[in-house]
Amino acid sequence: MEEKTSEPAKSVPLGRGGLSISPLGIGTWSWGERFFWGYGIHYSEADLQSAFQASLEAGINFFDTAEVYGQGRSEQLLGSFVRASGSPVVVATKFFPFPWRLTRQAVLKALRASLDRLGLSQVGLYQIHWPMPLVKVETYMAGLADAVEAGLVRSVGVSNYGKALMQRAYAALAERGIPLASNQVEYSLLQRGPERSGLLDECRKLGVTLIAYSPLAQGLLSGKYTPQNPPPGLRGRRYSSALLSRIQPLIGLLREIGEGHGGKTPAQVALNWTICKGTVPIPGAKNSHQARENAGALNWSLTEEEVTALDLASRDF
């Protein structure tokens, strides 16, 4: 079911840095990514442009990319759409810790290259994509703080950091008077590790926004896939038919709950669940239909009883 929101969703704070974003964003891993997602085969630049525009029309203003998505193509596409739209958009991108990037100066250098690809003078959020065992957390945090002080970024965050590393990142930035705005991790009904590890609670305690990537488990929670109809391409090889069978009762519950909210789809219910948990989900969107589908998760809320029912139904995954 394709949804249109009647009014823009109320914005939420991105950490404690004074920046506000829509309660749901768009992840752009698939933008320009041919090998895993099939860009240029199953969808085109025009499809992505329509996804961007439909997202804006639904009140979504937060778009997350990274320098490694599509080998830089995602940043180029997103930047061109932002500049053409003239709309106030919060762009987030990421620094990838390649093994030759061992200094704080590497962070600024990579950020400037990302800004060149985006065609922007500043981004709203700059994140360290993964922890780097060869580099102290404090080294990269110094680079992020330098980026803020240089006026190249409004706020800074991390991605895929566990609780202990996030605490160190928070403390290192605090010494420079800069808040850690976010931690972007995988989180969905099928991946509830951030709850079990205490990471989600620690984010709440510190005022760090948990940005949930793969909130639909790469489409598994959309209800489209069954053992007889697995995801296409590489995604289909990652998920066994046994898993696809196991999740069907959960999909059925998502469908049942959605019917009670005026015909919401399983995907919209799954996204709303992540919002109810206090996170900002960033599902992908490769066309306008998917963008509007995502936006159908906004401007309504699951009841506490429905959240609990979904918690129980997904606890064993």
Side-chain angles (χ1 to χ4, degrees), residues 125-178:
L125 177 66
Y126 196 47
Q127 307 150 94
I128 305 298
H129 207 148
W130 290 89
M132 168 53 145
L134 299 177
V135 178
K136 292 194 305 181
V137 169
E138 293 75 13
T139 298
Y140 281 160
M141 293 308 106
L144 290 181
D146 292 344
V148 173
E149 292 174 359
L152 300 177
V153 58
R154 292 277 306 278
S155 56
V156 292
V158 293
S159 181
N160 299 300
Y161 276 46
K163 180 179 173 181
L165 290 183
M166 183 184 73
Q167 289 169 330
R168 284 176 59 185
Y170 179 93
L173 287 168
E175 288 185 1
R176 298 277 293 271
I178 295 169

Side-chain angles (χ1 to χ4, degrees), residues 4 35 76 91 103 131 152 165 176 188 190 196 198 236 240 290:
K4 292 185 179 180
F35 180 70
Q76 292 171 340
V91 172
T103 66
L152 300 177
L165 290 183
R176 298 277 293 271
S188 72
L190 297 184
R196 298 185 179 108
S240 67
Q290 291 179 352

Side-chain angles (χ1 to χ4, degrees), residues 11-309:
S11 61
V12 298
L14 179 61
R16 292 175 175 166
L19 197 60
S20 294
I21 58 174
S22 49
L24 177 147
I26 297 296
T28 66
W29 175 18
S30 63
W31 293 19
E33 174 54 59
R34 183 183 181 90
F35 180 70
F36 191 86
W37 291 103
Y39 172 71
I41 302 170
H42 304 301
Y43 57 101
S44 66
E45 180 175 340
D47 292 322
L48 298 178
Q49 170 82 61
S50 68
F52 176 82
Q53 189 59 40
S55 298
L56 289 184
E57 291 170 359
I60 295 169
N61 74 339
F62 181 55
F63 294 82
D64 178 82
T65 184
E67 61 177 336
V68 294
Y69 294 169
Q71 298 179 309
R73 185 65 177 141
S74 176
E75 288 182 327
Q76 292 171 340
L77 288 165
L78 176 57
S80 69
F81 300 158
V82 170
R83 296 193 310 274
S85 75
S87 299
V89 172
V90 179
V91 172
T93 192
K94 307 183 199 71
F95 166 94
F96 195 86
F98 292 112
W100 57 86
R101 290 177 166 175
L102 305 177
T103 66
R104 65 194 287 179
Q105 290 81 9
V107 176
L108 271 177
K109 183 178 179 181
L111 173 55
R112 288 192 170 103
S114 284
L115 289 171
D116 285 344
R117 284 186 291 272
L118 287 160
L120 302 174
S121 60
Q122 185 188 67
V123 290
L125 177 66
Y126 196 47
Q127 307 150 94
I128 305 298
H129 207 148
W130 290 89
M132 168 53 145
L134 299 177
V135 178
K136 292 194 305 181
V137 169
E138 293 75 13
T139 298
Y140 281 160
M141 293 308 106
L144 290 181
D146 292 344
V148 173
E149 292 174 359
L152 300 177
V153 58
R154 292 277 306 278
S155 56
V156 292
V158 293
S159 181
N160 299 300
Y161 276 46
K163 180 179 173 181
L165 290 183
M166 183 184 73
Q167 289 169 330
R168 284 176 59 185
Y170 179 93
L173 287 168
E175 288 185 1
R176 298 277 293 271
I178 295 169
L180 177 69
S182 61
N183 189 0
Q184 183 178 148
V185 296
E186 184 174 0
Y187 182 59
S188 72
L189 280 162
L190 297 184
Q191 173 50 278
R192 295 176 62 190
E195 292 178 43
R196 298 185 179 108
S197 69
L199 178 64
L200 180 56
D201 282 341
E202 188 67 10
C203 284
R204 291 169 179 153
K205 174 184 171 183
L206 298 178
V208 173
T209 297
L210 190 148
I211 300 172
Y213 73 77
S214 296
L216 296 177
Q218 296 184 8
L220 293 192
L221 292 169
S222 68
K224 294 187 295 185
Y225 303 121
T226 65
Q228 297 75 33
N229 179 40
L234 290 177
R235 281 187 297 156
R237 297 174 203 165
R238 292 184 64 184
Y239 303 117
S240 67
S241 60
L243 173 62
L244 291 171
S245 294
R246 282 184 63 210
I247 68 173
Q248 294 313 306
L250 175 59
I251 299 300
L253 178 58
L254 289 169
R255 217 171 250 123
E256 178 184 336
I257 290 173
E259 285 303 312
H261 288 274
K264 295 295 181 181
T265 66
Q268 289 163 351
V269 176
L271 290 172
N272 194 273
W273 176 87
T274 67
I275 295 171
C276 288
K277 293 290 185 175
T279 76
V280 175
I282 50 168
K286 299 191 290 289
N287 53 55
S288 59
H289 170 80
Q290 291 179 352
R292 286 189 285 268
E293 169 86 6
N294 292 337
L298 297 171
N299 297 322
W300 62 282
S301 183
L302 295 167
T303 66
E304 289 185 14
E305 293 76 15
E306 289 166 341
V307 170
T308 299

